Amino acid sequence: MPNAITYASYGGPDVLTLTEVDTPEPGPGQVRIKVRAASVNPLDLKLRSGLMASVRPAQFPVRPGFDVAGVVDRAGEGAGAAVGDEIFGGAVGGGYAEYALVDRPVPKPEQVSFETAAALVTVGETAFRGLHLLGPVAGETLLVHGGGGSVGTIAVQLAVARGITVVTTAGDDDLGRLTELGAVAVRYGDGWADRVRAAAPQGVDRVFDTSGAGVLAESVALTGDAARVITIADSSAAEHGVRFTSGGPAERFEQALPELSALAAAGKLDLPIGATYPLAEASRAHADIESRRVRGKVVLLP
C-alpha cells in the first residue's frame, strides 16, 4: 500500500504521521499521479493547528496538502491528461502522498522542475489573481507589500513583465534580490510610507498587500482610493474599505498556471525553493517553517 501523511487530531507538527493508505482511484475528469513533489503552504499549518477550525472544521483523519507535481499513471474518463504525462496542479483529497488525484492537470514544461511546478500552484494563482482583480496597467506604479514572500516575489515579476513600475517593501535580506527582479525595493517597518514616497516621487497608483502587516490605512492614503488597494493577508480589510481576496472557488483563475509555467520555462519567473524534505519528514518541515529556520518555499519529495 502507498504512503501518505495524515493527522487524526489538531496539534503541533508531531501530529503528522506517515500512514499506509488505499491507492486513490480517479473519477471522471481526474488523473492519478505518482507524486514527485508536493508544496507546503502556510494554510497547511493553520489547518493542522486548528487555527481555522471555526471556518474550516476538519474531517479526521486529514490528508494535508494542495499543490502537487508528478507523472500521470491513471486517467479517468474525459481527463485532461494521459498516462505518462508530466503535470502539476491542485490535489483533490490531499497532496502529501505518494499518489494523488488532480482534476485540472496543467502540463509541466520540460524546463521546469517538479519542485518548482508544485511550488507555483497556490502562490502563483494568488499573485495572478491579486493583480487581475487590482488591475494595474503598463505605465502605472504598483506597490507590493511583502515582496520577499513567495506571493510577493511572483507578483513583482508578473507586474514588471507587464510594463508596470513596481515598488516593493521587504526585509533587508531580500532587497538586493528584488532589485535584480526589476523592482525598486525599500525596507519594510516603521517609516515605510516615507521610503516609498521617496522611491516613487511620481506617486503610487495601486497597492497589493501580501504581508498583512497593518499597512492598509497608509496604503489607502498613498493611492487616495481604497478601491486601488487589495489584500490577501489582512482581515481588517473591510474596516478600510479594501477588498480582501481569499481564493475561494468563485475567485480562482485557472488560466494562471499555464501562463506562469510558460514564464518559468522561458526563464522569466524565479521562485526560490527554500528547502526540500522527504515525505516522511513532513513534521520536521512544518516545525522548521514555524520556527523560521527555513526561508522560501518548502517542498516534500515522496
Side-chain angles (χ1 to χ4, degrees):
M1 296 177 71
N3 290 317
I5 296 295
T6 65
Y7 58 93
S9 63
Y10 295 125
D14 60 320
V15 302
L16 298 175
T17 305
L18 189 67
T19 309
E20 287 190 343
V21 296
D22 293 332
T23 305
E25 292 297 328
Q30 295 181 331
V31 296
R32 182 178 72 201
I33 64 169
K34 180 72 173 69
V35 179
R36 296 285 297 275
S39 176
V40 179
N41 288 299
L43 178 60
D44 301 345
L45 281 65
K46 294 176 182 178
L47 292 171
R48 185 216 73 225
S49 69
L51 187 63
M52 298 185 66
S54 62
V55 292
R56 293 183 63 166
Q59 298 291 321
F60 297 115
V62 174
R63 189 181 305 181
F66 300 100
D67 304 350
V68 292
V71 181
V72 176
D73 86 323
R74 181 167 295 186
E77 182 179 354
V83 172
D85 287 351
E86 296 183 349
I87 66 97
F88 70 113
V92 178
Y96 292 13
E98 292 179 346
Y99 290 90
L101 301 179
V102 178
D103 60 5
R104 294 181 180 87
V106 178
K108 183 191 76 65
E110 182 180 355
Q111 303 93 327
V112 179
S113 69
F114 286 104
E115 292 88 343
T116 295
L120 271 175
V121 178
T122 290
V123 296
E125 190 278 334
T126 301
F128 186 99
R129 167 171 33 92
L131 290 177
H132 182 89
L133 296 174
L134 186 59
V137 296
E140 289 189 336
T141 297
L142 170 71
L143 170 61
V144 177
H145 287 293
S150 295
V151 174
T153 290
I154 295 175
V156 164
Q157 294 173 87
L158 285 176
V160 168
R162 295 171 183 177
I164 298 161
T165 298
V166 180
V167 179
T168 185
T169 61
D172 290 337
D173 292 344
D174 291 309
L175 298 180
R177 177 174 65 85
L178 291 164
T179 299
E180 291 177 357
L181 294 178
V184 179
V186 302
R187 183 170 49 83
Y188 72 87
D190 292 345
W192 68 263
D194 290 334
R195 290 189 287 275
V196 167
R197 290 187 183 96
Q202 73 277 18
V204 171
D205 297 296
R206 301 176 196 271
V207 179
F208 185 6
D209 171 36
T210 74
S211 70
V215 295
L216 295 184
E218 287 182 284
S219 294
V220 171
L222 278 173
T223 64
D225 184 355
R228 289 175 170 265
V229 181
I230 197 167
T231 182
I232 62 168
D234 194 327
S235 59
S236 72
E239 299 173 20
H240 303 279
V242 170
R243 179 168 184 169
F244 180 95
T245 174
S246 62
E251 287 189 320
R252 295 186 72 82
F253 286 82
E254 295 179 15
Q255 67 268 40
L257 296 185
E259 179 175 332
L260 291 165
S261 64
L263 286 172
K268 297 179 180 179
L269 187 69
D270 178 57
L271 180 60
I273 305 296
T276 60
Y277 298 77
L279 178 67
E281 296 183 17
S283 60
R284 182 166 70 90
H286 276 222
D288 287 351
I289 294 171
E290 290 184 341
S291 64
R292 301 184 182 277
R293 284 193 291 266
V294 62
R295 291 168 53 84
K297 288 294 291 181
V298 170
V299 177
L300 302 176
L301 306 177

